[in-house]
Amino acid sequence: MFANLANQDFVNLAWFVVIYAFMGWLLETVYASWEERRFVNRGFLSGPFCPIYGFGSLLMIVILHPLINKPYHLFIGAVLLASILEYLTGWLLEKVFDHKWWDYSNQSYNLQGRICLRYSIYWGILAVVMLKLIHPEAVRLGGMIPFSYRLLGLYGISFYFLADFMDTVLTVSELKAVLAEMQHLAAEGRERLEQIRESSVEGFEETSAELKAKYEILLNRLTIRNQRLLQAFPNLRNKHHHFLRITNPDGIIDTIRKAYMIYETRIKRQ
């Protein structure tokens, strides 16, 4: 019955998306956890999947298969394809959620902070390893599972993906509301700095303490799901407020403090 409802090739490709999405999440999580010295769920979704790896791998399999016996051409194709995919994904997330989820601006040879040469080369190497070593084994092992079981499992995991995606969108919407208030607070800080820049340092310290208290209240409004996203994407920031470091309670105050110190230096020189 199930075999009549879907094409076997489509089901196989869909399972490759699931498998490589999980492997991508595993790779990202191990790397981030090692860097942070604590567990970090490094994924846009709550569950153990990074969709960009799944769909990226599927594109590699479909488009680059003719180059499988030409390692050099395979690597170049993988670098180009991965770079295009990462750039478009970053652009789309920024347009939809109005926030930048990763930023390579501090890396050499980057393009608008969405991609950079260093990580594009990494993706190329990973793609060659995946296509030459991992994928043949995935095909072999997958063929050992009856098709009806694969199809039934795909239905179940599709419902899971849909629920996880809807929950993530709701979480991001909640996060955007809090971040909007943080941005207003940042603007307020700049305005008040202008008002007190001829006052004493003590007046500045009082203002800093007040702004910091408001900022911490906003941080306390973040849910566990919001906090997970902030941990997963430590460089998350609003596109229009580059100075706002939302994962650092002192970030907004540090920005104001630096601006005040620069102003004081200019006054002394005059």
Side-chain angles (χ1 to χ4, degrees):
M1 173 181 177
F2 287 122
N4 296 326
L5 297 178
N7 180 274
Q8 184 164 348
D9 290 338
F10 172 80
V11 172
N12 290 339
L13 292 177
W15 265 111
F16 292 147
V17 172
V18 174
I19 291 169
Y20 293 121
F22 171 74
M23 293 180 68
W25 172 86
L26 191 62
L27 178 67
E28 289 275 355
T29 298
V30 169
Y31 176 78
S33 299
W34 175 265
E35 288 285 309
E36 296 289 331
R37 297 297 187 271
R38 59 186 175 84
F39 176 75
V40 177
N41 180 2
R42 190 74 161 88
F44 179 72
L45 300 178
S46 298
F49 299 99
C50 284
I52 186 174
Y53 280 88
F55 289 105
S57 297
L58 180 61
L59 285 176
M60 299 286 180
I61 293 167
V62 173
I63 296 176
L64 299 181
H65 181 73
L67 303 176
I68 195 69
N69 294 319
K70 300 177 180 179
Y72 176 76
H73 295 86
L74 181 63
F75 171 74
I76 297 299
V79 168
L80 293 175
L81 194 57
S83 299
I84 293 172
L85 178 63
E86 186 174 30
Y87 183 90
L88 291 178
T89 301
W91 175 84
L92 181 62
L93 287 174
E94 290 172 30
K95 290 297 181 181
V96 173
F97 298 110
D98 203 34
H99 283 78
K100 201 174 185 71
W101 294 82
W102 62 83
D103 191 1
Y104 297 137
S105 296
N106 62 337
Q107 299 285 335
S108 301
Y109 307 106
N110 74 85
L111 180 59
Q112 298 176 343
R114 298 187 182 117
I115 58 174
C116 70
L117 180 60
R118 175 185 175 186
Y119 283 95
S120 292
I121 291 174
Y122 289 167
W123 303 143
I125 295 172
L126 283 173
V128 172
V129 172
M130 182 272 291
L131 289 170
K132 298 286 286 184
L133 302 177
I134 299 175
H135 188 62
E137 284 300 305
V139 173
R140 184 182 67 83
L141 293 174
M144 299 171 63
I145 302 174
F147 175 70
S148 58
Y149 290 174
R150 279 180 280 155
L151 183 57
L152 184 61
L154 187 60
Y155 285 147
I157 204 164
S158 295
F159 283 118
Y160 166 79
F161 268 129
L162 180 61
D164 196 347
F165 178 76
M166 292 176 64
D167 179 70
T168 300
V169 170
L170 178 61
T171 299
V172 173
S173 298
E174 295 171 349
L175 181 59
K176 284 179 64 177
V178 176
L179 296 185
E181 294 188 46
M182 289 182 175
Q183 291 154 18
H184 288 309
L185 181 59
E188 177 188 344
R190 289 204 310 274
E191 292 175 2
R192 295 182 65 176
L193 173 61
E194 290 295 323
Q195 296 172 2
I196 66 170
R197 64 182 185 178
E198 294 183 1
S199 303
S200 64
V201 175
E202 288 75 13
F204 175 79
E205 293 294 337
E206 291 177 4
T207 302
S208 296
E210 180 184 346
L211 291 171
K212 182 178 178 181
K214 291 182 178 180
Y215 188 65
E216 289 176 339
I217 290 174
L218 289 175
L219 282 179
N220 290 332
R221 284 178 49 191
L222 296 175
T223 65
I224 294 177
R225 295 180 303 175
N226 297 151
Q227 293 170 3
R228 187 200 69 77
L229 279 177
L230 294 180
Q231 292 176 352
F233 298 92
N235 291 320
L236 177 65
R237 57 175 171 78
N238 184 274
K239 294 189 300 180
H240 311 296
H241 300 271
H242 292 199
F243 56 87
L244 184 59
R245 295 289 300 177
I246 59 178
T247 56
N248 177 11
D250 294 322
I252 190 172
I253 305 304
D254 289 342
T255 300
I256 297 173
R257 188 184 302 278
K258 289 176 182 177
Y260 185 81
M261 291 174 63
I262 292 173
Y263 173 80
E264 270 198 325
T265 303
R266 289 177 180 172
I267 292 297
K268 290 179 180 178
R269 289 177 179 175
Q270 294 176 356

